[in-house]
Amino acid sequence: MSAIRELADRVRGELLAPGHEDYDRARRVFNFMIDRRPAAILRCAGVADVIQGVLFARMQQFPLSIHSGGHGVAGSAVCEGGLMLDLSGMKGVRVNPDRRTAQAQTGLLLGEFDHETQAFGLATTLGVVSVTGIAGLTLGGGLGWLNGKHGLACDNVLAADVVTADGELVTASATDHDDLYWALRGGGGNFGVVTSLTYQLHPVTTVLAGGLSFPPEQARDALRFYHGFASGAPDELSMAGSVSRHPEGGPAVSIAVCYCGPLNEGERVLQPLRDFGSPVGGEIGPLAYQAFQSGPDAGFPPGRQHYWKSSYLKDLSDEAIEVLLEFAATSPSPYTGIGLQQMTGVASRVDPQATAFAHRDRQYDFLILSQWEDRDDSDRNIDWTRRCFEAMRPYLKEAVYVNNLGDQEHDRVRDAYGVNYERLAAVKARYDPENVFRLNHNIAPGIGI
């Protein structure tokens, strides 16, 4: 196509079309259920390339997708027949240890960001798997191990550089484009291409962290203990529970923890967990924060199929526990887990309308994370996941973490943005009235409020 050839002449980065030796590798993302074929992939070398890509897609009325980390389960980083902007090569980061800030380009992965900030003994809340990209995670909220003490990732964003739908580069902050700044902190990729994020950092070096695993005969009591213990945890302690199929049959439960305060105090706080039951695996001890962040990576290798269902769970009742144990024992894949990651402390106490991320409460991010290797096994894994979710529905809130939404869950977009949806729609109308950025969990442009 001549228009694509003209775009190639206007950019510094490489433009990949079908047939290029790197095309198939570039269009692959974390979730191997996604198999879309863009008309072209622009490997952006810098902000100027992003601007040219946005202007091109708008002029040609091409679908436009944005690939940063490519870890989103919905696979919206890849479009069918349009232009995919690949920001994964934009990995610049500048740490200011005096101000405790970091300005990071959005091609960075969590582990790469942590590598730079930990050199100065600093960190901020990000996710729990280090191969995740910082951009999509943060724009959707960003629930991580430091959320109790330091809030969500989006709560720590000080500024964002954004290429808008008309190709303008703006900086959104509390004092400049403050409406856009508000919307970016939880509203996802609806408002432009975010090319860099400036974060507030916090002193974090060694944490008291790890996890313990409990066999099927202790699974029920372990979940009850987890709920009671997590409900009274101090801000410095963030926790996550998970239920999976034990290799020998039945449900197994794991409890993971991260204490980011003084280690001697952490030992006292965690003593009840150490005293509980008879764990059959795992350990808790002092760890470098970066090492703990990368610990789960091996459980999410590239090449697997993924199908997730998610919501928020306020109370882990005995009835809900029975459903979890029943379904975990019959999971068709040994790689599948049901997660109960705790939102707590500072993250739970922010006013729901202070940022676009509305779901502020002391609660669990309930996630059925189904993954399997053979595409031929998809139907039975998807069916099991849906049945598990439906069985749990009576205990779940009408709300969902937008970063967990799958490709076909458009009917749950309002649940993802909650009370902030109408205000987000008004900001969308100002910055993207033609809905150029629509390949996401989309907020339609709305009337101002």
Side-chain angles (χ1 to χ4, degrees), residues 281-303:
E283 60 180 339
I284 298 170
L287 280 174
Y289 174 72
Q290 186 180 349
F292 181 58
Q293 278 282 82
S294 61
D297 292 359
F300 302 93

Side-chain angles (χ1 to χ4, degrees), residues 21 53 96 106 119 169 191 229 288 341 353 361 369 376 396 405 416 418 427-428 443:
E21 62 180 356
N96 186 321
T106 48
L169 177 67
F191 309 98
F229 191 55
Q341 185 179 4
Q353 295 179 300
D361 203 351
L369 196 160
D376 291 340
L396 303 174
L405 277 183
V427 178
K428 176 77 168 180
I443 299 164

Side-chain angles (χ1 to χ4, degrees), residues 2 18 35 38-39 189 196 206 217 258 295 297 331 366 385 406:
S2 60
D35 190 22
S196 77
T206 300
E217 60 270 20
C258 178
D297 292 359
S331 167
F366 170 79
T385 307

Side-chain angles (χ1 to χ4, degrees), residues 212-216 218-220 222-223 241-244 251-255 325:
L212 299 175
S213 299
F214 299 90
Q218 297 180 52
R220 184 174 290 101
L223 284 177
S242 64
V243 194
S244 59
V253 169
S254 296
I255 299 174
L325 297 179

Side-chain angles (χ1 to χ4, degrees), residues 374-439:
D374 191 337
R375 188 178 292 271
D376 291 340
D377 291 334
S378 294
D379 287 347
R380 67 189 185 115
N381 279 277
I382 291 171
D383 176 69
W384 175 88
T385 307
R386 289 172 174 170
R387 287 189 293 108
C388 180
F389 185 74
E390 287 305 313
M392 281 295 297
R393 191 184 288 272
Y395 314 105
L396 303 174
K397 300 170 71 171
E398 291 295 325
V400 62
Y401 182 23
V402 71
N403 287 346
N404 291 341
L405 277 183
D407 183 35
Q408 303 300 321
E409 296 192 278
H410 306 296
D411 60 326
R412 302 186 69 201
V413 167
R414 283 184 175 265
D415 290 344
Y417 300 118
V419 297
N420 291 324
Y421 184 88
E422 298 300 334
R423 184 177 172 188
L424 284 164
V427 178
K428 176 77 168 180
R430 177 178 179 186
Y431 288 94
D432 185 19
E434 298 174 12
N435 208 4
V436 172
F437 304 108
R438 61 185 178 274
L439 300 184

Side-chain angles (χ1 to χ4, degrees), residues 201-279:
L201 304 177
H202 310 276
V204 180
T205 52
T206 300
V207 293
L208 190 59
L212 299 175
S213 299
F214 299 90
E217 60 270 20
Q218 297 180 52
R220 184 174 290 101
D221 288 340
L223 284 177
R224 288 172 176 162
F225 171 84
Y226 170 61
H227 180 52
F229 191 55
S231 298
D235 290 357
E236 291 81 3
L237 177 61
S238 294
M239 305 181 67
S242 64
V243 194
S244 59
R245 191 185 80 201
H246 193 275
E248 298 178 5
V253 169
S254 296
I255 299 174
V257 298
C258 178
Y259 187 91
C260 62
L263 298 186
N264 57 349
E265 178 62 14
E267 290 287 1
R268 185 192 67 78
V269 169
L270 288 172
Q271 193 60 48
L273 175 58
R274 292 189 185 278
D275 292 340
F276 171 77
S278 301

Side-chain angles (χ1 to χ4, degrees), residues 1 49 51 83 117 134 155 183 191 235 243 256 267 344 407:
M1 181 185 293
D49 286 357
I51 292 171
L83 178 65
T117 62
I134 67 169
D155 298 330
F191 309 98
D235 290 357
V243 194
E267 290 287 1
T344 186
D407 183 35

